[in-house]
């Protein structure tokens, strides 16, 4: 289902309200969280609203979609750092309940299995927040990723590493791989909110609307999920019927 909003601030207000509803209904709810520019206004609005109304967030559980391999949580480009900056460090969460893949683990395969199992053991994700790449990726699930994938390690393409190198001191520091929840993990959430903003994603959305369901455009897997809401700003929706 497409929901079109005037701008990213309106999407953020809507999602903040939805998150608060879920937490009011179940203070121990498990949330699936994403990083990236798209999510920044969402977290900023949620933090502002919860500071104003004092909602108790101390029992929330969360699982982030992905993390780079080899970066510590102190590294400014790690997703752990992003989450602290934008959300976890802003409200009185219980850090023990907040999960990201551990990019420093020596036991990568085991860690990935444990991560998928921990999501299921927490009761499953009540609401999964998602952004999408212009090539249709969700999490680090790039085109071609099987829809039955669980948490796994992804080798980053040379293109992605070059694109990301601007955030690092040198190309050598750009991680070669990442850990991501798989598409099957994402689809196991009871509700999914995909946020798509900006003109640069308009063609991606047109491809979604016109195409079928194909691993070549990973986010088309969401067409198989009965409770997915796609929240667009007018720019991202500009090529849709
Ligand atoms: C982030 C993630 C990515 C981003 C996507 C969009 O945790 O998993 O799939 O959601 O790359 O990124 P932005 O929002 O920066 O356009």
């Amino acid at each position: 289902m497409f929901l079109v909003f005037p701008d990213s601030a309106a999407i953020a207000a809507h999602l903040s309200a939805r998150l608060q509803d879920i937490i009011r209904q179940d203070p121990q709810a498990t949330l699936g969280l994403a990083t990236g520019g798209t999510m920044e206004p969402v977290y900023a609005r949620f933090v502002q609203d919860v500071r104003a109304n004092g909602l108790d967030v101390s029992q929330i559980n969360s699982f982030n979609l992905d993390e780079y391999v080899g970066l510590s949580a102190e590294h400014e480009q790690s997703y752990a750092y992003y989450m602290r900056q934008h959300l976890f460090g802003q409200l009185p969460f219980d850090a023990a309940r907040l999960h990201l893949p551990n990019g420093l683990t020596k036991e990568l395969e085991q860690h990935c299995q444990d991560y998928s199992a921990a999501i299921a053991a927490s009761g499953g994700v009540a609401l999964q927040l998602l952004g999408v790449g212009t090539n249709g990726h969700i999490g680090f699930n790039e085109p071609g990723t099987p829809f039955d994938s669980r948490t796994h390690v992804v080798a980053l393409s040379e293109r992605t590493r070059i694109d990301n190198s601007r955030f690092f001191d040198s190309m050598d520091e750009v991680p070669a791989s990442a850990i991501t929840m798989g598409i099957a993990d994402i689809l196991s959430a009871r509700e999914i909110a995909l946020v798509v903003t900006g003109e640069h994603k308009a063609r991606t959305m047109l491809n979604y609307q016109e195409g079928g369901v194909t691993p070549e455009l990973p986010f088309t897997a969401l067409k198989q999920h009965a409770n997915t809401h796609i929240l667009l700003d007018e720019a991202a929706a500009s090529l849709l019927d």
Side-chain angles (χ1 to χ4, degrees):
M1 179 170 57
F2 291 151
L3 294 168
V4 181
F5 294 80
D7 54 28
S8 60
I11 296 177
H14 174 90
L15 265 183
S16 172
R18 182 70 194 119
L19 285 163
Q20 292 171 68
D21 279 351
I22 287 172
I23 297 162
R24 274 192 203 95
Q25 268 177 21
D26 177 7
Q28 300 190 347
T30 297
L31 304 175
L33 302 177
T35 60
T38 312
M39 290 301 145
E40 289 181 20
V42 176
Y43 296 143
R45 180 59 193 255
F46 179 76
V47 167
Q48 180 191 325
D49 290 347
V50 171
R51 281 189 183 149
N53 65 23
L55 180 70
D56 179 13
V57 296
S58 66
Q59 297 175 71
I60 292 173
N61 301 292
S62 72
F63 288 86
N64 263 77
L65 281 169
D66 41 17
E67 180 59 285
Y68 289 112
V69 170
L71 296 192
S72 79
E74 308 313 317
H75 194 291
E76 288 186 18
Q77 294 309 322
S78 73
Y79 290 169
Y81 187 93
Y82 170 107
M83 290 308 297
R84 262 202 325 280
Q85 290 294 107
H86 295 286
L87 186 62
F88 298 159
Q90 305 295 328
L91 293 170
F93 291 101
D94 174 1
R97 295 173 183 265
L98 310 173
H99 307 273
L100 283 104
N102 176 4
L104 293 182
T105 183
K106 299 262 182 299
E107 305 287 340
L108 274 171
E109 290 308 317
Q110 187 61 46
H111 180 64
C112 289
Q113 281 181 30
D114 292 349
Y115 199 76
S116 285
I119 296 169
S122 79
V125 168
L127 174 63
Q128 174 69 55
L129 300 182
L130 280 184
V132 64
T134 51
N135 66 354
H137 74 221
I138 44 178
F140 266 114
N141 297 289
E142 297 292 350
T145 308
F147 285 175
D148 63 358
S149 53
R150 294 286 175 183
T151 303
H152 61 284
V153 177
V154 186
L156 301 185
S157 71
E158 203 52 22
R159 182 72 260 157
T160 299
R161 294 189 68 233
I162 292 167
D163 286 351
N164 288 355
S165 62
R166 67 185 189 280
F167 299 119
F168 293 83
D169 290 338
S170 73
M171 189 66 194
D172 290 346
E173 282 187 34
V174 184
S177 54
I179 302 170
T180 184
M181 272 192 206
I183 293 177
D185 294 310
I186 292 169
L187 294 181
S188 69
R190 291 190 283 285
E191 178 178 339
I192 297 175
L194 170 67
V195 184
V196 193
T197 53
E199 203 185 337
H200 62 301
K201 299 214 177 140
R203 180 137 313 264
T204 310
M205 288 314 305
L206 182 64
N207 293 339
Y208 181 93
Q209 188 182 50
E210 290 186 337
V213 174
T214 166
E216 289 317 308
L217 208 55
F219 79 137
T220 59
L222 300 175
K223 294 182 181 184
Q224 297 179 337
H225 187 278
N227 195 18
T228 290
H229 305 272
I230 303 184
L231 315 179
L232 307 150
D233 67 359
E234 280 174 4
S238 57
L239 297 178
L240 302 180
D241 304 333

